[in-house]
Amino acid sequence: MDAYQLHPIGYIRSPYKQKFAIPRQPRLVPDAKARLEFCQEFCRPDFVRGIEDFSHLWLLFRFHETADKGYSALVRPPRLGGNERKGVFATRATFRPNGIGMSAVKLEGVEYKQGKLALLLSGIDLLDGTPILDIKPYLPYSDSLPDASAGFADTRPETEMTVSFSEQAEQQLHALPQYEQMKNFISQVLKQDPRPAYKAQKEASQSYGMSLDDFNIKWTVDGLHNHVTEIKQQK
């Protein structure tokens, strides 16, 4: 087989510090903001000249935390509750022969400071440190196919999950300059129900924790309700 060498053009700086809680597709959490910081070789504005004419971009990236674990012909899509197997090429699972993913995200702006180039993005679904292999503009006339069908993933995933915040969590949020954005971000993440499918099927109250940006978030799940109990800044 032919072999090809690919080198990152940049890396994502994301609020998702662990795989847990990352939405399963892009733009499901609009307040998920990130930066794509270019490698030094590509830190020239010429590389992105005209990119601000586009509202959205395709990012091609490497599943860097799972690529070394190999691939599987059959996977268990979360949309099917983790109970049914599908061929890996019929899914967007991470365990792929070449470990390559793609994500359509919103471009919020371009930043060029002191010789460093970055794209400001939102609606991302990428782990912090994800290597970006390429960027392509999203073209609505070509990339949007209203009549397309998508099998078991034909509709946007929706849950009936609700979110509330304890008095302590509200106080901790109010101490942040980005209070409103952070509260919306946490709520959007939890409404996606980031739990593994087998956990979501349990009826008993459960407690969880996750890292978002520089914060440890703790919450409990009781049925269809998430209750955030603590938001503590990591040291």
Side-chain angles (χ1 to χ4, degrees):
M1 294 178 64
D2 292 332
Y4 302 91
Q5 282 192 336
L6 297 175
H7 301 283
I9 61 170
Y11 293 87
I12 286 289
R13 299 306 167 208
S14 159
Y16 300 116
K17 308 303 181 184
Q18 55 191 164
K19 289 182 290 182
F20 181 64
I22 295 179
R24 297 185 175 105
Q25 297 297 336
R27 304 186 315 285
L28 294 177
V29 178
D31 275 298
K33 303 192 182 294
R35 294 165 55 87
L36 194 174
E37 298 180 349
F38 286 89
C39 296
Q40 189 59 45
E41 181 182 354
F42 306 103
C43 276
R44 297 206 317 269
D46 283 350
F47 279 104
V48 296
R49 184 185 298 178
I51 202 168
E52 289 179 286
D53 293 339
F54 300 91
S55 64
H56 292 76
L57 304 172
W58 286 107
L59 303 182
L60 300 182
F61 61 91
R62 176 84 166 159
F63 287 112
H64 64 298
E65 284 218 342
T66 57
D68 63 347
K69 295 179 172 60
Y71 63 90
S72 175
L74 293 173
V75 296
R76 299 175 185 269
R79 286 290 294 272
L80 297 175
N83 298 318
E84 188 174 339
R85 292 177 183 268
K86 295 288 184 182
V88 67
F89 295 136
T91 75
R92 296 192 177 191
T94 60
F95 298 101
R96 318 187 71 80
N98 289 306
I100 294 174
M102 63 180 188
S103 188
V105 301
K106 185 176 182 182
L107 175 63
E108 300 286 354
V110 177
E111 182 181 278
Y112 184 65
K113 292 180 179 179
Q114 299 179 333
K116 301 292 185 182
L117 180 65
L119 298 182
L120 309 181
L121 309 168
S122 66
I124 61 105
D125 60 339
L126 301 178
L127 184 68
D128 187 54
T130 294
I132 301 301
L133 304 176
D134 201 5
I135 303 166
K136 298 181 186 296
Y138 178 90
L139 304 179
Y141 76 88
S142 174
D143 298 343
S144 177
L145 304 170
D147 297 328
S149 60
F152 66 86
D154 201 41
T155 58
R156 178 187 177 96
E158 300 286 355
T159 74
E160 297 178 354
M161 303 294 284
T162 57
V163 181
S164 64
F165 292 79
S166 70
E167 184 176 344
Q168 174 180 273
E170 284 281 2
Q171 291 174 349
Q172 292 166 329
L173 274 172
H174 271 288
L176 305 176
Q178 70 275 34
Y179 159 71
E180 201 67 47
Q181 191 271 333
M182 192 65 184
K183 185 174 183 179
N184 289 338
F185 179 36
I186 294 170
S187 297
Q188 290 169 11
V189 168
L190 294 183
K191 285 180 180 178
Q192 292 297 315
D193 195 1
R195 297 174 297 167
Y198 73 93
K199 289 277 190 181
Q201 294 168 5
K202 293 186 177 181
E203 295 183 0
S205 177
Q206 304 159 68
S207 297
Y208 295 92
M210 64 181 173
S211 295
L212 291 178
D213 273 325
D214 297 325
F215 301 92
N216 286 321
I217 317 294
K218 293 183 179 179
W219 80 99
T220 59
V221 182
D222 191 355
L224 294 174
H225 185 66
N226 298 286
H227 185 61
V228 181
T229 56
E230 185 177 74
I231 302 168
K232 185 177 277 188
Q233 190 151 20
Q234 300 178 31
K235 296 181 180 179

